[in-house]
Amino acid sequence: MVEAVQDAAVVVTGAGGGIGAALARRFAAEGARVVVNDLDAGRAEAVAAEIGGVAVPGDASTIVERAREALGGAVDVYCANAGVASGGSEAADAAVWAEAWDVNVMAHVRAAHALLPHWLERGRGRFVSTVSAAGLLTMIGAAPYSVTKHGAYAFAEWLSLTYRHRGIQVHAICPQGVRTDMLDATGSAGDLVLKPTAIDPQDVADALFEGIAEDRFLILPHPEVAGYYQARAADPDRWLTNMNHLQQKWETAE
Ligand SMILES: NC(=O)c1ccc[n+]([C@@H]2O[C@H](COP(=O)([O-])OP(=O)(O)OC[C@H]3O[C@@H](n4cnc5c(N)ncnc54)[C@H](O)[C@@H]3O)[C@@H](O)[C@H]2O)c1
């Protein structure tokens, strides 16, 4: 049991399946009271019923007040997990870019805006962002996803460096492939890059809980991502050349 989350009031967005459902299950197993959010009301209700939580369906951007009420007036932990796997290039539809910004970045900003006044007043609050290794590196074939996940990572980093002396803890979860509906929808690029090393959603929850116990910002369920991130920073051109080889391999395989 992780003391920090026992009896905590927790919100997990996009928790009707995949990583969010695994996070919700783990928080409930640790003794937390959990709000299960998803756009899909039926899936949110099913997970909430399974774990003894409360379903608050709807767009993740809009649910903080309803979630707070459902939890008796306060949120201790907010998991900004809902995300969209927007593929495509610079030529992706404007609507695809807009949805990626809205769900992958602005939903986090809006939630933080709604949560921070209360958290700062009482000197305590925990914000968990499900980013992606694409937020540290870049995913081939998915410009909107890569760009907005970099944005999600930057926002989590900004929150952490701005408020850590005021009792706010932030965690950025950056996995590569995780066996969920989203991974199944990533097509041939996902088959090439993500599926060979894919892990289960509960492995992501386990990695988060290790990070919470160690009070660590960066959560890497695939530890090898640390090496890729270092290589990218140490020699950007070499890293880009290697990524371009992957791109060419993908183009040939397509
Ligand atoms: N699966 C992977 O390989 C992988 C890897 C790295 C990061 N991630 C990230 O993990 C998070 C969860 O992804 P997943 O793989 O579990 O996906 P998933 O598709 O299995 O589940 C995502 C859930 O979010 C819900 N959702 C989508 N938009 C929403 C919105 N606006 N409001 C509320 N709910 C919404 C969906 O209905 C769905 O139930 C995402 O942010 C994703 O980018 C996934």
Side-chain angles (χ1 to χ4, degrees):
M1 288 277 181
V2 176
E3 210 176 308
V5 301
Q6 270 174 40
D7 203 38
V10 178
V11 180
V12 186
T13 68
I19 295 169
L23 296 178
R25 286 186 185 108
R26 180 64 189 267
F27 274 107
E30 296 282 342
R33 295 170 289 121
V34 183
V35 157
V36 178
N37 158 259
D38 204 280
L39 264 185
D40 183 325
R43 279 159 60 101
E45 275 151 22
V47 173
E50 177 200 322
I51 66 171
V54 182
V56 175
D59 185 329
S61 267
T62 65
I63 54 118
V64 170
E65 282 318 317
R66 277 191 293 142
R68 208 191 321 252
E69 273 169 37
L71 290 165
V75 173
D76 300 308
V77 181
Y78 188 89
C79 300
N81 170 79
V84 285
S86 316
S89 67
E90 73 288 348
D93 277 358
V96 170
W97 280 98
E99 185 192 31
W101 275 115
D102 203 58
V103 182
N104 293 348
V105 183
M106 289 312 297
H108 299 201
V109 176
R110 292 186 196 110
H113 186 198
L115 292 160
L116 258 298
H118 185 228
W119 283 358
L120 292 173
E121 192 182 272
R122 67 180 193 172
R124 184 165 64 82
R126 190 183 296 276
F127 192 93
V128 179
S129 174
T130 307
V131 187
S132 167
L136 299 173
L137 307 168
T138 278
M139 178 60 190
I140 59 167
Y145 188 72
S146 299
V147 171
T148 56
K149 288 296 185 177
H150 274 252
Y153 187 77
F155 183 64
E157 215 171 49
W158 183 90
L159 278 180
S160 183
L161 69 88
T162 302
Y163 297 119
R164 61 172 49 206
H165 65 299
R166 299 178 67 183
I168 310 303
Q169 286 153 308
V170 184
H171 308 276
I173 313 177
C174 298
Q176 292 191 293
V178 183
R179 291 183 199 98
T180 68
D181 293 349
M182 184 180 284
L183 181 59
D184 287 338
T186 54
S188 55
D191 290 348
L192 180 67
V193 179
L194 302 175
K195 282 201 176 157
T197 57
I199 58 176
D200 288 322
Q202 75 194 48
D203 299 326
V204 178
D206 290 348
L208 172 64
F209 272 74
E210 274 171 35
I212 289 176
E214 293 168 9
D215 209 3
R216 188 159 29 79
F217 170 77
L218 182 55
I219 312 292
L220 295 178
H222 295 79
E224 62 271 30
V225 169
Y228 306 151
Y229 190 40
Q230 278 168 6
R232 172 179 177 269
D235 190 341
D237 283 293
R238 184 162 179 209
W239 181 79
L240 285 167
T241 299
N242 289 337
M243 288 299 288
N244 177 253
H245 288 152
L246 201 54
Q247 168 74 19
Q248 293 184 53
K249 194 170 166 187
W250 177 51
E251 287 173 11
T252 318
E254 274 234 291

